[in-house]
């Protein structure tokens, strides 16, 4: 056997063994909301991962070791909604042959939280990325702002809410000397 043939053959065997250990993303889900946006990547094995944030422009980079781009994961950029308050776009790249980079282009700077959930019931391992605003939203203020916006649009619309007199017994009265 010629030794010069063994070297290329060994590379093919080693690379196919390395790709056999590559994790497969079975599911990629996303839930945008005003409070935070959550991205969940599900796989059958635990993944080595790390997250970093970059500025100018704002980005979050999630590196997944031993992962290849799957059709499920490739659909994640199409799930970004224009109404998502934090994510503008998602794209992919590779750092090393066996490390997949998921880049989240952000609309503004966020606070990032990353954690892993162990398998439960029919769900496998899940890498969970949460993107929060730097200043947390006050739910009461959000409710008041939404109510004011709704009331403003009704009052300005034709046939909108008429001005109402105070309910009986709740009229304002002027104080008298006896008060």
């Amino acid at each position: 056997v010629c030794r010069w043939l063994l070297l290329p053959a060994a590379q093919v065997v080693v690379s196919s063994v390395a790709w056999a250990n590559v994790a497969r993303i079975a599911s990629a889900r996303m839930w945008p909301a005003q409070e935070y946006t959550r991205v969940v990547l599900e796989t059958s094995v635990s993944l080595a991962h790390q997250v970093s944030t970059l500025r100018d422009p704002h980005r979050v980079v999630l590196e997944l070791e031993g992962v290849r781009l799957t059709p499920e994961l490739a659909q994640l950029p199409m799930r970004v909604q224009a109404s998502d308050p934090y994510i503008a776009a998602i794209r992919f790249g590779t750092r090393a042959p066996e490390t997949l980079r998921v880049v989240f282009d952000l609309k503004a700077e966020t606070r990032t939280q990353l954690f892993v959930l162990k398998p439960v019931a029919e769900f496998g391992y899940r890498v969970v990325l949460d993107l929060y605003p730097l200043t947390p939203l006050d739910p009461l203020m959000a409710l008041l702002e939404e109510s004011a916006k709704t009331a403003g649009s009704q009052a300005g619309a034709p046939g909108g809410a008429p001005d109402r007199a105070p309910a009986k017994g709740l009229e304002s009265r002027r104080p008298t000397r006896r008060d």
Side-chain angles (χ1 to χ4, degrees), residues 122-159:
E122 72 274 2
F123 299 104
Y125 287 92
R126 286 148 293 153
V127 175
V128 181
L129 174 70
D130 288 339
L131 301 171
Y132 292 92
L134 290 181
T135 305
L137 297 175
D138 181 354
L140 184 55
M141 284 304 293
L143 180 63
L144 291 173
E145 288 171 0
E146 184 63 32
S147 294
K149 194 184 314 177
T150 303
S153 66
Q154 287 178 350

mmCIF file of all heavy atoms in Angstrom, residues 122-159:
data_model
loop_
_atom_site.group_PDB
_atom_site.id
_atom_site.type_symbol
_atom_site.label_atom_id
_atom_site.label_comp_id
_atom_site.label_asym_id
_atom_site.label_seq_id
_atom_site.Cartn_x
_atom_site.Cartn_y
_atom_site.Cartn_z
ATOM 1 N N GLU A 122 -41.525 15.253 26.116
ATOM 2 C CA GLU A 122 -41.105 15.054 24.716
ATOM 3 C C GLU A 122 -40.064 16.062 24.259
ATOM 4 O O GLU A 122 -39.606 16.011 23.119
ATOM 5 C CB GLU A 122 -42.320 15.095 23.778
ATOM 6 C CG GLU A 122 -42.935 16.454 23.572
ATOM 7 C CD GLU A 122 -43.977 16.842 24.617
ATOM 8 O OE1 GLU A 122 -44.225 16.083 25.567
ATOM 9 O OE2 GLU A 122 -44.532 17.941 24.480
ATOM 10 N N PHE A 123 -39.674 17.002 25.120
ATOM 11 C CA PHE A 123 -38.696 18.024 24.747
ATOM 12 C C PHE A 123 -37.279 17.559 25.072
ATOM 13 O O PHE A 123 -37.038 16.952 26.107
ATOM 14 C CB PHE A 123 -38.970 19.339 25.494
ATOM 15 C CG PHE A 123 -40.314 19.919 25.176
ATOM 16 C CD1 PHE A 123 -41.350 19.822 26.078
ATOM 17 C CD2 PHE A 123 -40.546 20.541 23.960
ATOM 18 C CE1 PHE A 123 -42.596 20.349 25.786
ATOM 19 C CE2 PHE A 123 -41.785 21.067 23.654
ATOM 20 C CZ PHE A 123 -42.821 20.971 24.571
ATOM 21 N N GLY A 124 -36.334 17.893 24.180
ATOM 22 C CA GLY A 124 -34.932 17.559 24.397
ATOM 23 C C GLY A 124 -34.237 18.678 25.157
ATOM 24 O O GLY A 124 -34.871 19.484 25.844
ATOM 25 N N TYR A 125 -32.908 18.732 25.042
ATOM 26 C CA TYR A 125 -32.148 19.834 25.630
ATOM 27 C C TYR A 125 -32.546 21.111 24.898
ATOM 28 O O TYR A 125 -32.716 21.110 23.680
ATOM 29 C CB TYR A 125 -30.649 19.610 25.464
ATOM 30 C CG TYR A 125 -30.095 18.542 26.364
ATOM 31 C CD1 TYR A 125 -30.005 17.227 25.933
ATOM 32 C CD2 TYR A 125 -29.653 18.851 27.653
ATOM 33 C CE1 TYR A 125 -29.492 16.247 26.757
ATOM 34 C CE2 TYR A 125 -29.137 17.868 28.476
ATOM 35 C CZ TYR A 125 -29.073 16.566 28.027
ATOM 36 O OH TYR A 125 -28.569 15.595 28.839
ATOM 37 N N ARG A 126 -32.687 22.205 25.642
ATOM 38 C CA ARG A 126 -33.051 23.473 25.014
ATOM 39 C C ARG A 126 -32.096 24.569 25.444
ATOM 40 O O ARG A 126 -31.881 24.776 26.636
ATOM 41 C CB ARG A 126 -34.479 23.860 25.400
ATOM 42 C CG ARG A 126 -35.511 23.014 24.683
ATOM 43 C CD ARG A 126 -36.752 22.772 25.461
ATOM 44 N NE ARG A 126 -36.424 21.931 26.611
ATOM 45 C CZ ARG A 126 -37.109 21.935 27.756
ATOM 46 N NH1 ARG A 126 -38.138 22.703 27.894
ATOM 47 N NH2 ARG A 126 -36.754 21.159 28.756
ATOM 48 N N VAL A 127 -31.497 25.221 24.452
ATOM 49 C CA VAL A 127 -30.699 26.421 24.695
ATOM 50 C C VAL A 127 -31.677 27.585 24.556
ATOM 51 O O VAL A 127 -32.321 27.737 23.513
ATOM 52 C CB VAL A 127 -29.545 26.556 23.680
ATOM 53 C CG1 VAL A 127 -28.803 27.863 23.880
ATOM 54 C CG2 VAL A 127 -28.594 25.373 23.800
ATOM 55 N N VAL A 128 -31.795 28.380 25.620
ATOM 56 C CA VAL A 128 -32.784 29.460 25.653
ATOM 57 C C VAL A 128 -32.053 30.798 25.731
ATOM 58 O O VAL A 128 -31.237 31.013 26.623
ATOM 59 C CB VAL A 128 -33.736 29.311 26.863
ATOM 60 C CG1 VAL A 128 -34.766 30.426 26.878
ATOM 61 C CG2 VAL A 128 -34.405 27.943 26.840
ATOM 62 N N LEU A 129 -32.359 31.669 24.783
ATOM 63 C CA LEU A 129 -31.788 33.018 24.746
ATOM 64 C C LEU A 129 -32.922 34.009 24.939
ATOM 65 O O LEU A 129 -33.885 34.015 24.167
ATOM 66 C CB LEU A 129 -31.098 33.277 23.403
ATOM 67 C CG LEU A 129 -30.588 34.695 23.175
ATOM 68 C CD1 LEU A 129 -29.389 34.992 24.076
ATOM 69 C CD2 LEU A 129 -30.215 34.905 21.722
ATOM 70 N N ASP A 130 -32.823 34.822 25.999
ATOM 71 C CA ASP A 130 -33.801 35.880 26.260
ATOM 72 C C ASP A 130 -33.142 37.228 26.046
ATOM 73 O O ASP A 130 -32.018 37.455 26.510
ATOM 74 C CB ASP A 130 -34.327 35.802 27.698
ATOM 75 C CG ASP A 130 -35.250 34.620 27.932
ATOM 76 O OD1 ASP A 130 -35.802 34.094 26.943
ATOM 77 O OD2 ASP A 130 -35.436 34.233 29.099
ATOM 78 N N LEU A 131 -33.829 38.119 25.350
ATOM 79 C CA LEU A 131 -33.353 39.484 25.113
ATOM 80 C C LEU A 131 -34.307 40.445 25.810
ATOM 81 O O LEU A 131 -35.495 40.497 25.467
ATOM 82 C CB LEU A 131 -33.305 39.779 23.614
ATOM 83 C CG LEU A 131 -32.416 38.850 22.792
ATOM 84 C CD1 LEU A 131 -32.622 39.096 21.315
ATOM 85 C CD2 LEU A 131 -30.961 39.018 23.169
ATOM 86 N N TYR A 132 -33.792 41.177 26.802
ATOM 87 C CA TYR A 132 -34.580 42.110 27.597
ATOM 88 C C TYR A 132 -34.168 43.547 27.279
ATOM 89 O O TYR A 132 -33.013 43.799 26.947
ATOM 90 C CB TYR A 132 -34.326 41.888 29.095
ATOM 91 C CG TYR A 132 -34.842 40.581 29.629
ATOM 92 C CD1 TYR A 132 -34.020 39.457 29.675
ATOM 93 C CD2 TYR A 132 -36.142 40.464 30.098
ATOM 94 C CE1 TYR A 132 -34.485 38.253 30.176
ATOM 95 C CE2 TYR A 132 -36.609 39.271 30.612
ATOM 96 C CZ TYR A 132 -35.787 38.167 30.647
ATOM 97 O OH TYR A 132 -36.248 36.983 31.140
ATOM 98 N N PRO A 133 -35.087 44.495 27.448
ATOM 99 C CA PRO A 133 -34.683 45.902 27.293
ATOM 100 C C PRO A 133 -33.744 46.292 28.435
ATOM 101 O O PRO A 133 -33.793 45.691 29.517
ATOM 102 C CB PRO A 133 -36.005 46.663 27.383
ATOM 103 C CG PRO A 133 -36.909 45.771 28.158
ATOM 104 C CD PRO A 133 -36.485 44.364 27.834
ATOM 105 N N LEU A 134 -32.889 47.273 28.199
ATOM 106 C CA LEU A 134 -31.982 47.721 29.265
ATOM 107 C C LEU A 134 -32.758 48.286 30.446
ATOM 108 O O LEU A 134 -32.395 48.080 31.594
ATOM 109 C CB LEU A 134 -30.997 48.762 28.738
ATOM 110 C CG LEU A 134 -29.945 48.233 27.770
ATOM 111 C CD1 LEU A 134 -29.003 49.355 27.345
ATOM 112 C CD2 LEU A 134 -29.154 47.092 28.369
ATOM 113 N N THR A 135 -33.832 49.008 30.148
ATOM 114 C CA THR A 135 -34.705 49.532 31.201
ATOM 115 C C THR A 135 -35.979 48.706 31.168
ATOM 116 O O THR A 135 -36.724 48.770 30.185
ATOM 117 C CB THR A 135 -35.044 51.014 30.951
ATOM 118 O OG1 THR A 135 -33.827 51.741 30.820
ATOM 119 C CG2 THR A 135 -35.892 51.577 32.066
ATOM 120 N N PRO A 136 -36.231 47.914 32.211
ATOM 121 C CA PRO A 136 -37.418 47.053 32.198
ATOM 122 C C PRO A 136 -38.694 47.878 32.048
ATOM 123 O O PRO A 136 -38.808 48.988 32.559
ATOM 124 C CB PRO A 136 -37.387 46.360 33.564
ATOM 125 C CG PRO A 136 -35.985 46.489 34.034
ATOM 126 C CD PRO A 136 -35.445 47.749 33.423
ATOM 127 N N LEU A 137 -39.645 47.303 31.317
ATOM 128 C CA LEU A 137 -40.924 47.959 31.121
ATOM 129 C C LEU A 137 -41.750 47.883 32.393
ATOM 130 O O LEU A 137 -41.768 46.864 33.064
ATOM 131 C CB LEU A 137 -41.687 47.288 29.982
ATOM 132 C CG LEU A 137 -41.044 47.371 28.611
ATOM 133 C CD1 LEU A 137 -41.854 46.567 27.607
ATOM 134 C CD2 LEU A 137 -40.944 48.811 28.157
ATOM 135 N N ASP A 138 -42.434 48.970 32.702
ATOM 136 C CA ASP A 138 -43.348 49.008 33.837
ATOM 137 C C ASP A 138 -44.715 48.580 33.315
ATOM 138 O O ASP A 138 -45.313 49.289 32.501
ATOM 139 C CB ASP A 138 -43.398 50.425 34.414
ATOM 140 C CG ASP A 138 -44.314 50.549 35.611
ATOM 141 O OD1 ASP A 138 -45.020 49.569 35.938
ATOM 142 O OD2 ASP A 138 -44.340 51.637 36.216
ATOM 143 N N PRO A 139 -45.241 47.437 33.743
ATOM 144 C CA PRO A 139 -46.503 46.948 33.189
ATOM 145 C C PRO A 139 -47.668 47.910 33.417
ATOM 146 O O PRO A 139 -48.535 48.044 32.563
ATOM 147 C CB PRO A 139 -46.750 45.621 33.892
ATOM 148 C CG PRO A 139 -45.667 45.444 34.872
ATOM 149 C CD PRO A 139 -44.673 46.533 34.717
ATOM 150 N N LEU A 140 -47.695 48.606 34.546
ATOM 151 C CA LEU A 140 -48.781 49.551 34.816
ATOM 152 C C LEU A 140 -48.715 50.734 33.850
ATOM 153 O O LEU A 140 -49.730 51.141 33.288
ATOM 154 C CB LEU A 140 -48.718 50.041 36.264
ATOM 155 C CG LEU A 140 -49.847 50.966 36.701
ATOM 156 C CD1 LEU A 140 -51.204 50.319 36.450
ATOM 157 C CD2 LEU A 140 -49.689 51.334 38.155
ATOM 158 N N MET A 141 -47.494 51.254 33.612
ATOM 159 C CA MET A 141 -47.347 52.364 32.666
ATOM 160 C C MET A 141 -47.711 51.915 31.248
ATOM 161 O O MET A 141 -48.346 52.665 30.502
ATOM 162 C CB MET A 141 -45.924 52.915 32.690
ATOM 163 C CG MET A 141 -45.634 53.788 33.894
ATOM 164 S SD MET A 141 -46.775 55.165 34.083
ATOM 165 C CE MET A 141 -46.354 56.150 32.659
ATOM 166 N N ALA A 142 -47.345 50.709 30.873
ATOM 167 C CA ALA A 142 -47.685 50.195 29.545
ATOM 168 C C ALA A 142 -49.198 50.105 29.382
ATOM 169 O O ALA A 142 -49.743 50.467 28.339
ATOM 170 C CB ALA A 142 -47.038 48.832 29.323
ATOM 171 N N LEU A 143 -49.892 49.666 30.419
ATOM 172 C CA LEU A 143 -51.349 49.580 30.384
ATOM 173 C C LEU A 143 -51.974 50.968 30.261
ATOM 174 O O LEU A 143 -52.887 51.181 29.466
ATOM 175 C CB LEU A 143 -51.869 48.863 31.632
ATOM 176 C CG LEU A 143 -53.376 48.698 31.738
ATOM 177 C CD1 LEU A 143 -53.893 47.827 30.604
ATOM 178 C CD2 LEU A 143 -53.743 48.114 33.077
ATOM 179 N N LEU A 144 -51.465 51.932 31.038
ATOM 180 C CA LEU A 144 -51.989 53.295 30.984
ATOM 181 C C LEU A 144 -51.744 53.926 29.614
ATOM 182 O O LEU A 144 -52.620 54.592 29.066
ATOM 183 C CB LEU A 144 -51.369 54.152 32.081
ATOM 184 C CG LEU A 144 -51.797 53.796 33.512
ATOM 185 C CD1 LEU A 144 -50.993 54.595 34.517
ATOM 186 C CD2 LEU A 144 -53.278 54.015 33.700
ATOM 187 N N GLU A 145 -50.555 53.715 29.060
ATOM 188 C CA GLU A 145 -50.241 54.261 27.735
ATOM 189 C C GLU A 145 -51.134 53.646 26.665
ATOM 190 O O GLU A 145 -51.622 54.348 25.781
ATOM 191 C CB GLU A 145 -48.768 54.033 27.396
ATOM 192 C CG GLU A 145 -47.833 54.904 28.195
ATOM 193 C CD GLU A 145 -46.363 54.536 28.026
ATOM 194 O OE1 GLU A 145 -46.058 53.590 27.267
ATOM 195 O OE2 GLU A 145 -45.526 55.201 28.653
ATOM 196 N N GLU A 146 -51.376 52.344 26.747
ATOM 197 C CA GLU A 146 -52.250 51.678 25.781
ATOM 198 C C GLU A 146 -53.675 52.189 25.917
ATOM 199 O O GLU A 146 -54.351 52.440 24.918
ATOM 200 C CB GLU A 146 -52.205 50.155 25.988
ATOM 201 C CG GLU A 146 -53.008 49.372 24.975
ATOM 202 C CD GLU A 146 -52.500 49.536 23.552
ATOM 203 O OE1 GLU A 146 -51.282 49.718 23.346
ATOM 204 O OE2 GLU A 146 -53.331 49.492 22.620
ATOM 205 N N SER A 147 -54.151 52.397 27.149
ATOM 206 C CA SER A 147 -55.501 52.929 27.367
ATOM 207 C C SER A 147 -55.622 54.339 26.817
ATOM 208 O O SER A 147 -56.620 54.687 26.187
ATOM 209 C CB SER A 147 -55.844 52.934 28.863
ATOM 210 O OG SER A 147 -55.916 51.625 29.337
ATOM 211 N N ALA A 148 -54.599 55.173 27.035
ATOM 212 C CA ALA A 148 -54.622 56.546 26.531
ATOM 213 C C ALA A 148 -54.614 56.549 25.007
ATOM 214 O O ALA A 148 -55.319 57.344 24.379
ATOM 215 C CB ALA A 148 -53.439 57.331 27.077
ATOM 216 N N LYS A 149 -53.842 55.663 24.412
ATOM 217 C CA LYS A 149 -53.770 55.583 22.960
ATOM 218 C C LYS A 149 -55.131 55.157 22.395
ATOM 219 O O LYS A 149 -55.612 55.711 21.416
ATOM 220 C CB LYS A 149 -52.686 54.569 22.554
ATOM 221 C CG LYS A 149 -52.301 54.651 21.103
ATOM 222 C CD LYS A 149 -51.300 53.581 20.681
ATOM 223 C CE LYS A 149 -50.153 53.402 21.619
ATOM 224 N NZ LYS A 149 -49.251 52.322 21.229
ATOM 225 N N THR A 150 -55.758 54.174 23.022
ATOM 226 C CA THR A 150 -57.055 53.688 22.574
ATOM 227 C C THR A 150 -58.119 54.777 22.734
ATOM 228 O O THR A 150 -58.908 55.019 21.837
ATOM 229 C CB THR A 150 -57.465 52.426 23.362
ATOM 230 O OG1 THR A 150 -56.452 51.446 23.195
ATOM 231 C CG2 THR A 150 -58.785 51.881 22.872
ATOM 232 N N ALA A 151 -58.118 55.452 23.873
ATOM 233 C CA ALA A 151 -59.094 56.521 24.126
ATOM 234 C C ALA A 151 -58.892 57.672 23.149
ATOM 235 O O ALA A 151 -59.850 58.241 22.636
ATOM 236 C CB ALA A 151 -58.980 57.016 25.561
ATOM 237 N N GLY A 152 -57.654 58.016 22.854
ATOM 238 C CA GLY A 152 -57.347 59.093 21.916
ATOM 239 C C GLY A 152 -57.815 58.763 20.517
ATOM 240 O O GLY A 152 -58.344 59.610 19.804
ATOM 241 N N SER A 153 -57.651 57.511 20.094
ATOM 242 C CA SER A 153 -58.074 57.137 18.741
ATOM 243 C C SER A 153 -59.589 57.077 18.643
ATOM 244 O O SER A 153 -60.166 57.387 17.619
ATOM 245 C CB SER A 153 -57.450 55.807 18.331
ATOM 246 O OG SER A 153 -57.945 54.764 19.130
ATOM 247 N N GLN A 154 -60.292 56.719 19.726
ATOM 248 C CA GLN A 154 -61.750 56.684 19.705
ATOM 249 C C GLN A 154 -62.334 58.086 19.716
ATOM 250 O O GLN A 154 -63.314 58.355 19.033
ATOM 251 C CB GLN A 154 -62.287 55.893 20.900
ATOM 252 C CG GLN A 154 -62.072 54.411 20.768
ATOM 253 C CD GLN A 154 -62.566 53.659 21.980
ATOM 254 O OE1 GLN A 154 -62.906 54.240 22.999
ATOM 255 N NE2 GLN A 154 -62.588 52.340 21.872
ATOM 256 N N ALA A 155 -61.758 58.994 20.484
ATOM 257 C CA ALA A 155 -62.285 60.351 20.587
ATOM 258 C C ALA A 155 -62.098 61.105 19.278
ATOM 259 O O ALA A 155 -62.933 61.905 18.895
ATOM 260 C CB ALA A 155 -61.594 61.093 21.727
ATOM 261 N N GLY A 156 -61.009 60.844 18.559
ATOM 262 C CA GLY A 156 -60.729 61.556 17.312
ATOM 263 C C GLY A 156 -61.446 60.971 16.112
ATOM 264 O O GLY A 156 -61.561 61.602 15.070
ATOM 265 N N ALA A 157 -61.985 59.765 16.241
ATOM 266 C CA ALA A 157 -62.639 59.111 15.109
ATOM 267 C C ALA A 157 -64.075 59.577 14.987
ATOM 268 O O ALA A 157 -64.724 59.882 15.992
ATOM 269 C CB ALA A 157 -62.600 57.593 15.310
ATOM 270 N N PRO A 158 -64.623 59.645 13.766
ATOM 271 C CA PRO A 158 -66.024 60.006 13.608
ATOM 272 C C PRO A 158 -66.890 58.992 14.334
ATOM 273 O O PRO A 158 -66.671 57.790 14.237
ATOM 274 C CB PRO A 158 -66.266 59.924 12.095
ATOM 275 C CG PRO A 158 -64.911 59.934 11.470
ATOM 276 C CD PRO A 158 -63.961 59.441 12.506
ATOM 277 N N GLY A 159 -67.870 59.493 15.062
ATOM 278 C CA GLY A 159 -68.730 58.599 15.831
ATOM 279 C C GLY A 159 -68.022 58.043 17.035
ATOM 280 O O GLY A 159 -68.436 57.052 17.604
#
